[in-house]
Amino acid sequence: METEIKNIIQEFLGKTGFDFSEVSSELDMDSGSFWFSVQSKDSNFLIGKDGETIHSLNYLIKRFLDKKYKDKTPHVTLDINNYQKAKVDKIKTIAHMMSERARFFKSKIELETDEFI
């Protein structure tokens, strides 16, 4: 299944006309989801402003997979030049830092949603 999904992503990106050099995959054993990393020189176009394009690409790939696998659609995340991985790491760092702060001060900590962007 992983190889099929990788081929779908490569074919899809190939039809967009954007230059990409590598698609690598990784299975998250905890969640059972696939993480596909794409390396590209055209990352600004593939990611878009505030990640809008990469979110759209993820949606389109999910729709392709929904059609192909019907009820057994795997959870897939497409990442361009580790953009999404960096965002996830930033959120984890902020969450850890704030939990330590809350523990130290023994009080609730509120976060603004724009801190995660």
Side-chain angles (χ1 to χ4, degrees):
M1 177 186 290
E2 187 173 346
T3 307
E4 289 178 59
I5 297 170
K6 185 176 180 178
N7 290 338
I8 289 170
I9 290 172
Q10 287 176 326
E11 183 179 346
F12 178 75
L13 290 176
K15 289 182 179 184
T16 62
F18 290 109
D19 181 35
F20 66 95
S21 58
E22 177 186 348
V23 177
S24 59
S25 61
E26 178 182 324
L27 174 62
D28 183 359
M29 298 304 280
D30 295 332
S31 65
S33 62
F34 292 101
W35 192 277
F36 289 89
S37 275
V38 176
Q39 298 302 313
S40 174
K41 294 177 183 174
D42 295 328
S43 62
N44 289 342
F45 297 110
L46 290 170
I47 294 169
K49 183 178 187 241
D50 296 327
E52 290 177 5
T53 306
I54 195 170
H55 291 296
S56 298
L57 290 172
N58 273 297
Y59 175 77
L60 290 172
I61 288 170
K62 181 182 180 332
R63 297 297 297 166
F64 281 125
L65 296 177
D66 284 344
K67 188 173 183 180
K68 181 172 178 70
Y69 293 107
K70 311 246 184 294
D71 296 334
K72 298 181 180 181
T73 304
H75 185 269
V76 172
T77 301
L78 177 67
D79 194 7
I80 309 293
N81 291 1
N82 295 322
Y83 173 80
Q84 297 211 92
K85 194 168 206 110
K87 286 189 84 158
V88 168
D89 289 344
K90 180 180 176 183
I91 291 169
K92 285 180 180 179
T93 301
I94 291 171
H96 177 72
M97 186 174 63
M98 292 299 145
S99 69
E100 290 296 318
R101 186 176 290 172
R103 190 175 303 141
F104 181 78
F105 290 112
K106 296 181 175 129
S107 66
K108 294 180 183 179
I109 302 289
E110 287 189 32
L111 296 175
E112 296 292 325
T113 56
D114 52 331
E115 286 185 53
F116 298 112
I117 297 175

